[in-house]
Amino acid sequence: SPFFLKGLLFYIFGTFWVLEFMSFCNKYVTAQILCQNYFYLRSRNSQGQELRSGKQAPIWYALYSLFRFHLGSIAQAALLSAPCQLMRSFIHIFVPDRPNLQNSLNQQYRIAYYLFYPLIQMDLRYTRFFKDTVMVMLALKGYKYMDAARRVEGLMNRSRGKIPHLNKFTSRIDNFLNMSVGLSSLIWSFFLYREPRHGRYHEVEHLGMRESIEGIFVTPEHSPLLALPFLVFFGLWVGNGMLHLVSVSSNTLTVCYCIDVEMAGGTETDALYVPQNLKETYKDLGGGESEREL
């Protein structure tokens, strides 16, 4: 029935959007709490003087600002973030993530620029702005979504030229961790859920641990390959949900660190609010995603 198909598509879209909306709400609250912890927690300088008085229970302000000011931005990010990231992944298959390809000495880069010009412009003007770092600028400054996205992109691009060692990108590591969790579900499902299943249709077959392990080495009467793609996508989604707190925390601390450096003087040794251990971490690791300049 076409009505059943329409209802199924609407249900899939609604489920996807609601889950993404809850995920981005979580990301905003996490970013807001970490920003307040970065800039408002008590700390002392080398002379023992207290720099700031501290802020109690930042989660209440995070929830209030979310429902009072930023529901529209969160809904927009939840709707367009996944399609834009998928489009960026498709674009990066053909086009390297480098600025000014048309002026490159590499002839292949120049050919790729003119051949994939519409895709490059789409990435340059729109798709690259849908990332988790925007949640940090929303929490700090309260701009609208696209204004916050442009400002945080410009901040990261300026900081790479201003802060030494802030030049290594973490997106590959994040993707590797998510894919590792997703592929683990594929491997476990392939080896642990391929019992022979010799029971008839109207019979319920009871299997114990020993029979299940022995069934791994028996050729099954059905193929598990049909279910594997669904398990892979489900594993990727679960892995992204499990690791998104780590990624949001790293993005938030990176943006706060860059703002701290710009406020204080311009080099990594001039940051005012950053703890010493975090300063040493950024001297070795760096952070960020895109190389394109505004």
Side-chain angles (χ1 to χ4, degrees), residues 7 26 30-31 70 77-78 85 91 108 127 133 142 158 176 189-190 196 228 232 238 240 245 253 263:
N26 193 352
T30 303
H70 297 296
Q85 291 179 4
I91 293 174
Q108 295 180 352
T127 58
T133 51
R158 292 194 306 271
F176 173 77
S189 61
F190 182 78
L228 290 183
V232 170
V238 172
N240 185 51
L245 183 60
L253 293 176
M263 291 168 53

Side-chain angles (χ1 to χ4, degrees), residues 63-90:
L63 293 174
Y64 169 77
S65 61
L66 169 65
F67 290 102
R68 179 64 178 84
F69 302 110
H70 297 296
L71 283 180
S73 297
I74 299 299
Q76 180 182 2
L79 180 63
L80 298 177
S81 179
C84 288
Q85 291 179 4
L86 183 62
M87 179 60 68
R88 290 202 75 197
S89 301
F90 175 76

